[in-house]
Amino acid sequence: MALGKVQKVLISESLDPCCREILQAGGIRVLEKPGLSKEELLREIKDCDGLIVRSATKVTAEVLEAAERLQVVGRAGTGVDNVDVEAATRKGVLVMNTPTGNSLSAAELTCGMILSLARQIPQAAASMKEGKWDRKKYMGMELNGKTLAVLGLGRIGREVATRMQAFGMKTIGYDPIITPDVSATFGVEQLPLEQIWPRCDFITVHTPLLPSTTGLLNDSTFAKCRRGVQVVNCARGGIVDEGALLRALQSGQCGGAALDVFTQEPPKDRDLVNHPNVISCPHLGASTREAQSRCGKEIAMQIVDMATGKGLTGVVNGQALSKAFSPHTKPWIALARGLGTVLRTAGKQVQGNVQVCTLGTALKEAGSYLTPAVAAGMLAGGPQKEVTLVNATLLAQEAGLKVTTTHSDVAPEPDSSTGLVQVSLQGTPHQVTGTVQGSTPVLREINGATFKQPAPLCGPLLIYRAKASDASALATLTGLLSKAGAQLLFYHSSSTVAGEQWSVVGLSAPLSNLSELKPRVTEIFQLHLL
């Protein structure tokens, strides 16, 4: 699978027409089929290179397996819990989202929910439609002076916090990633969760659904809250334990809840929806014309940019792949992949510990994308069907290969300005070192033998080790090439180590038979590097 060659995309849910238009303008065929059944989706996805979904389509491992050509799943929105990201990663399928597209719409809905809880607006409106005039029944509360706990301080959480501050609410919060100094800049005091529960009048959650956030609000946490606490969930069903919430509502420990999301959608158990102190919506967080237009536009542009090689944004898995689109990093990724392949072939093993060392300040941040590239090179030609930067790390772990990275700012001359990459198979003498000259990845050293003129790592290569005093291997090779009608494109020999030299030969085409060469060399192997 060559990421970037996206020809046909299936849109399985209703999206703004601009999504289809942008894809088509980018030269991509579009199949729009919202509301597909599971069986229909399995049938339609077979020959598609891309799939665009919102939250209703379940992109399961079964769907991914049926998608023979699939390269990318685009989620027009933020959460990807309807996509089996691990299964996608294993297959080398890229998963993208549009985290900014619906942030404002979700934040505004949350603020509306908080106001509706405080003044019981939906209940009062329903009462009026029934012909009633119950002014006393719908006594509310002011938000001014109340404390709002915002759990999750990403884009949506901070938008909610700043808007509710305008109502005079004190905002406290928690986020394991955002630092207290950063949250202080938008008026949120960060506290440990144990200190948040007893202090807040309202709680709103804005986290992804992860094992660590599932049931974040539960029987135990509700018991620690102020009696009558109000809860809002416009993020993901399951962050608030629905059974615990119902029990808290029934006991009065929770005074009201506003829910836009549920564990099961639509919910079959209607006890929460029917509770008089619950306001519920059918997952409307991103359901505004503006959000749908933004999400559809953004995911289409991301896929077109990927297809045209312009760039890669919104990546959920395979972040290393985003670097592969940079003109500067492309040859370094090719180098790392090539070094991995040479090391695996020379070392005759895939399992074990591989150490990647980047040398030189220019490569200080390069380990994040060079590590999976080395792993991809090590696994090339193995039993795995397709190894890409998306799935290389996962597949390497499963193959018993551990790749770690270290860095040193100092690189030896003459590569001090450009940098060097050194890859070694620990516990063995096998080590390869390379750099990039212009835009060409080159091999500078193999197993302690240095090439005065570094050898290009591209195309069909023949690499062998032989006695330095014996020139018969090169003569035999020349004869073989003549018989095969192939050409010798370049020849590089290394320094002598223990009386032997390494040679790297560039060929116009691989040789089918090396039997005449093998008696004249200590070891020999062929590679074809992209």
Side-chain angles (χ1 to χ4, degrees):
M1 176 183 63
L3 280 172
K5 295 181 181 178
V6 179
Q7 299 174 350
K8 181 181 177 182
V9 169
L10 169 65
I11 300 175
S12 66
E13 298 184 51
S14 295
L15 281 171
D16 190 279
C18 71
C19 181
R20 178 192 68 248
E21 292 163 5
I22 291 169
L23 290 169
Q24 289 174 335
I28 297 172
R29 288 188 293 127
V30 180
L31 182 65
E32 280 189 291
K33 291 205 170 183
L36 292 172
S37 67
K38 177 185 172 183
E39 291 71 25
E40 290 170 331
L41 178 60
L42 290 171
R43 186 168 59 251
E44 295 291 347
I45 198 68
K46 281 184 179 294
D47 64 342
C48 291
D49 306 293
L51 170 65
I52 296 179
V53 303
R54 287 180 61 190
S55 57
T57 302
K58 306 304 179 188
V59 188
T60 62
E62 184 181 1
V63 170
L64 291 161
E65 191 59 35
E68 297 169 3
R69 288 172 37 186
L70 194 65
Q71 298 174 43
V72 59
V73 174
R75 162 71 165 100
T78 304
V80 291
D81 42 285
N82 58 316
V83 180
D84 190 331
V85 177
E86 183 178 344
T89 301
R90 186 182 306 281
K91 195 174 179 186
V93 174
L94 200 63
V95 179
M96 295 177 172
N97 68 348
T98 57
T100 62
N102 60 15
S103 296
L104 287 176
S105 292
E108 288 180 359
L109 178 65
T110 303
C111 295
M113 291 290 215
I114 294 171
L115 286 163
S116 294
L117 281 174
R119 300 304 295 269
Q120 301 180 71
I121 296 170
Q123 295 94 325
S127 173
M128 286 288 289
K129 290 182 185 297
E130 293 171 358
K132 299 177 183 177
W133 186 264
D134 289 328
R135 295 184 67 194
K136 292 182 179 179
K137 182 176 180 180
Y138 300 109
M139 182 65 65
M141 70 177 89
E142 290 184 350
L143 294 177
N144 184 57
K146 301 299 189 297
T147 298
L148 170 66
V150 184
L151 307 184
L153 299 170
R155 297 176 186 86
I156 299 172
R158 69 183 65 188
E159 294 288 355
V160 170
T162 55
R163 282 158 175 72
M164 298 318 297
Q165 288 158 15
F167 285 86
M169 297 193 84
K170 174 179 173 55
T171 49
I172 60 176
Y174 173 78
D175 192 296
I177 298 173
I178 306 297
T179 66
D181 288 343
V182 171
S183 64
T185 64
F186 51 88
V188 176
E189 177 190 2
Q190 277 212 59
L191 296 168
L193 287 171
E194 292 304 307
Q195 293 183 31
I196 285 176
W197 308 127
R199 290 182 57 170
C200 53
D201 302 293
F202 288 78
I203 301 172
T204 180
V205 294
H206 299 285
T207 71
L209 183 64
L210 303 168
S212 59
T213 62
T214 300
L216 185 61
L217 271 70
N218 51 50
D219 287 313
S220 174
T221 51
F222 275 121
K224 297 171 185 174
C225 292
R226 290 179 179 176
R227 186 166 179 79
V229 67
Q230 310 274 323
V231 173
V232 179
N233 185 6
C234 293
R236 281 289 176 267
I239 297 172
V240 179
D241 183 316
E242 292 176 356
L245 175 59
L246 183 60
R247 289 187 287 274
L249 286 162
Q250 290 169 340
S251 69
Q253 182 65 14
C254 176
L259 306 173
D260 186 45
V261 291
F262 298 85
T263 303
Q264 182 183 42
E265 295 184 356
K268 289 185 179 179
D269 187 336
R270 309 290 292 182
D271 288 348
L272 266 180
V273 173
N274 294 333
H275 195 282
N277 293 341
V278 171
I279 300 164
S280 57
C281 294
H283 204 147
L284 299 179
S287 295
T288 64
R289 286 185 292 275
E290 295 84 356
Q292 287 309 296
S293 178
R294 272 195 301 269
C295 287
K297 180 180 179 181
E298 287 178 16
I299 199 63
M301 290 177 68
Q302 287 171 207
I303 290 177
V304 169
D305 284 351
M306 168 188 155
T308 57
K310 184 178 178 181
L312 205 58
T313 55
V315 180
V316 175
N317 62 344
Q319 285 81 357
L321 193 63
S322 62
K323 303 289 186 180
F325 284 79
S326 163
H328 170 69
T329 58
K330 275 183 179 179
W332 288 99
I333 288 173
L335 171 68
R337 188 190 291 264
L339 292 176
T341 302
V342 172
L343 185 68
R344 183 258 304 161
T345 310
K348 298 178 178 62
Q349 68 178 78
V350 174
Q351 293 182 327
N353 295 326
V354 172
Q355 181 73 51
V356 180
C357 183
T358 53
L359 305 171
T361 54
L363 299 177
K364 192 169 187 177
E365 306 298 327
S368 63
Y369 56 87
L370 294 184
T371 300
V374 168
M378 291 286 294
L379 295 171
Q384 296 83 4
K385 289 183 180 179
E386 298 180 82
V387 184
T388 71
L389 294 185
V390 176
N391 61 11
T393 302
L394 176 63
L395 295 180
Q397 290 172 350
E398 293 179 350
L401 181 67
K402 183 180 180 182
V403 184
T404 56
T405 307
T406 61
H407 175 76
S408 171
D409 283 342
V410 180
E413 294 293 345
D415 305 297
S416 57
S417 59
T418 54
L420 279 173
V421 178
Q422 189 179 81
V423 186
S424 56
L425 189 57
Q426 295 184 320
T428 77
H430 299 294
Q431 178 176 290
V432 289
T433 303
T435 186
V436 170
Q437 291 184 341
S439 60
T440 304
V442 295
L443 180 66
R444 185 167 285 286
E445 184 180 309
I446 179 169
N447 294 355
T450 304
F451 292 87
K452 188 175 181 180
Q453 292 295 324
L457 286 175
C458 53
L461 298 177
L462 184 70
I463 301 177
Y464 64 86
R465 178 165 58 97
K467 290 181 179 179
S469 58
D470 186 357
S472 62
L474 183 58
T476 303
L477 173 60
T478 304
L480 283 175
L481 290 171
S482 179
K483 290 178 185 176
Q487 293 179 314
L488 189 153
L489 303 180
F490 57 80
Y491 174 84
H492 294 266
S493 60
S494 74
S495 60
T496 302
V497 176
E500 293 186 316
Q501 284 182 316
W502 283 90
S503 296
V504 177
V505 186
L507 306 176
S508 60
L511 292 172
S512 60
N513 191 340
L514 300 177
S515 58
E516 289 184 45
L517 262 176
K518 288 180 179 178
R520 305 179 186 281
V521 299
T522 307
E523 62 179 297
I524 186 169
F525 49 86
Q526 285 195 98
L527 306 170
H528 194 148
L529 301 178
L530 300 176

